[in-house]
Amino acid sequence: MKEIKIVAKDLSIYYGEKVAINNMSIDIPGYKVTALIGPSGCGKSTFLRTINRMNDLIPSFRHMGEVTVDGLNIYDKDIDVVNLRKKIGMVFQRSNPFAKSIFENVAYGPRINGLKAKGQLEEIVENSLKKAAIWDEVKDRLHDSALGLSGGQQQRLCIARTLAVNPEIILMDEPASALDPISTSKIEELIHQLKESYTIVIVTHNMQQAARVSDYTAFFYLGELIEMDKTKDIFTKPAKKQTEDYITGRFG
Amino acid sequence: MEELSKEEKKKKRKNKEFVFTRESLKKKFRLSEFLAEKVISSVAFLSIAVIVLIFIFVFRETLPIFQTKDSQKASTEQIPTSTNSTGGELKQESYGGTETAEPASNAPLKQETYGSTGSETPASGGEKQEQYGVVTDSNLAAMETSMPEVHDTARESMASQYNENQSALRTLASKDWQPVSDRPRYGLLPLILGTLKLTLIAILFAAPIAIMAALYSSTFAPKWARETIKPVIELLAGFPSVVIGFFALMVMATLFQDLFGYASRLNSFVGGIALSLAAIPIIYTITEDALNAIPNTYREASLALGATKWQTAYNVVLPAATPGIFAAVLLGVGRVFGETMIALMATGNAAMISANPFDSIRTLSATIGAEMAEVVFGDTHYSILFLIGSLLFIFTFALNFIAEFYIKGKLMKRFQGKS
């Protein structure tokens, strides 16, 4: 593992009294795809949302320990959450385009950053849509409602929207769980292309998907990190019995 | 093996067959459900029927003024033949066929033609000819001087009733509302403009306040604030309007006069603000619901892109909730438009046309409220008040119709892209 991007150290997360993550430490490498796997409720989504502080929206959220990105503690008091989230984008489980046109959806991020020049906006929108491999499908109807797209297209639009603000890290929370196999394979291809220039952390319930797209895999269980290693190793010779049982489908 | 298993399956199927018999699947009549369904549907249709009935009633009471005109036209057409046949000796009366009109058989020997335009001059066989109804100001004066020549008092009242109907129609577009006078004038213009002015003032105050309050409590407020603000504002919705009117009359009017130093104490500004107190809870509640109905995923998506809370609210939540907010404002407009008590108490009730918000006004609904109790049943004034009622009806319907059309057509496209 080289070039560690995200480090969690002795991280514990509570929702009210409930422990979601219990004293966990993890190193996530930069410019690779890291998959977080584990049964439902094991804290992987919670951890993902901790990285860009989306958990702050939940009133009962508390945390202990620290999370650093490039050595900087993102839970420091003088960290601006808004600027943090500009650098750490997120794609959600259910595609959530705004009720605006396709163009406006992608242009939204640059626009709220104060970009007004139409030419530049158009360029960014085109580039983002191309990177998200959806340009050819929507180039003729950029000003139609984004809600008219299919589920898979919507999800790729959401990825394009995230790319438009030019983040360093992209977090994906089961981005393909609600999609058909063809859309899923398109998203996976996309992830493959994106890892050259972005650090990607992806939560997935799909073992094959984790095996296909990720370079590293972390197995979570009951709020703890059981094991993390190169995906190849995890899926061929896991060090822990629990991991083996889970990826072979013997418990869960 | 396979055949065996097939036979087994067949056996199983045969055994199962008794589950799907005509007996077991026979249509059942469920009385209670049937009754409940019928009751619900009849209640729904009843409410529509009631609205339609009110509508019909209001229009029916309005009709007499218009009816007179029509029947008068008919009667004037008869005149030449009748005068020819009687040779000018028999004098005939023709009145407008209003409900109050008595049969003309016992009429005295005098022909009166009301409301004719004067182009068809009746036979001038020496008999006295009176022509009413060409109601310009000079003719009105002439008419009044000729009135005493009619002896019969009953006829006089009918004649004047008829006169009034005629003149009333002609004064509808004038600038004066003087229903009780020697020469009553029923100019609706000041009432309509006054109502519109009051509505405008009230909504200009109420809508921004209510929408911002809703935005705050749905987006920015901590939980405890949200749980306090909403019930408190909604409590205001149940406030009797007479209390708000009283408050405006006694407290706000004086306060604002001290502040702004205008001439008339009760005016459309005071009334507008008092009315906005009535409209704010409605607009707030519906706007808040509309904002809360925006899926949280929109907010999350926006925040995850590095938008601030305010940017999220302004660029994502508000546009997505626009149709709901628009509906809320329209309901507020409807409330203000129809509100009687506050308008009656706080606006000064002087029917005047002016753009100055600090002048008194008289609204349509307040006019009905103030005058309906003192008007003679069946009178012209009475009918005119119902005409105002019909106007209120029509305005509200038009408003809703336009709103529906507008929301579906333009707003959706503007804020959500073509779909």
Side-chain angles (χ1 to χ4, degrees), chain A residues 36-87:
Chain A
L36 311 180
I37 60 170
S40 297
C42 67
K44 50 194 192 314
S45 282
T46 299
F47 174 64
L48 197 73
R49 293 166 67 92
T50 307
I51 299 173
N52 71 342
R53 291 187 59 173
M54 286 303 276
N55 278 332
D56 291 16
L57 299 177
I58 300 163
S60 60
F61 166 79
R62 284 184 299 130
H63 82 284
M64 289 165 72
E66 62 178 25
V67 181
T68 59
V69 175
D70 283 346
L72 190 74
N73 185 0
I74 58 168
Y75 279 90
D76 242 14
K77 269 182 188 159
D78 56 351
I79 291 283
D80 187 53
V81 190
V82 169
N83 285 334
L84 176 79
R85 289 188 190 134
K86 277 175 193 158
K87 286 289 146 205

Side-chain angles (χ1 to χ4, degrees), chain A residues 49 52 54 57 82 85-86 88-90 92 96-101 108 112 143-145 147 161-162 165, chain B residues 223 297-309 311-313 315-316 319-320 415-419:
Chain A
R49 293 166 67 92
N52 71 342
M54 286 303 276
L57 299 177
V82 169
R85 289 188 190 134
K86 277 175 193 158
I88 306 180
M90 186 160 191
F92 295 84
N96 51 1
F98 302 128
K100 297 170 186 277
S101 69
Y108 178 78
I112 57 171
H143 296 283
D144 287 6
S145 172
L147 300 179
R161 187 174 64 184
T162 306
V165 289
Chain B
K223 209 179 167 195
T297 55
Y298 282 15
R299 292 198 182 94
E300 284 189 340
S302 173
L303 291 173
L305 286 170
T308 61
K309 261 186 172 182
Q311 285 170 328
T312 302
N315 294 312
V316 176
F415 288 107
Q416 307 185 352
K418 283 173 275 173
S419 53

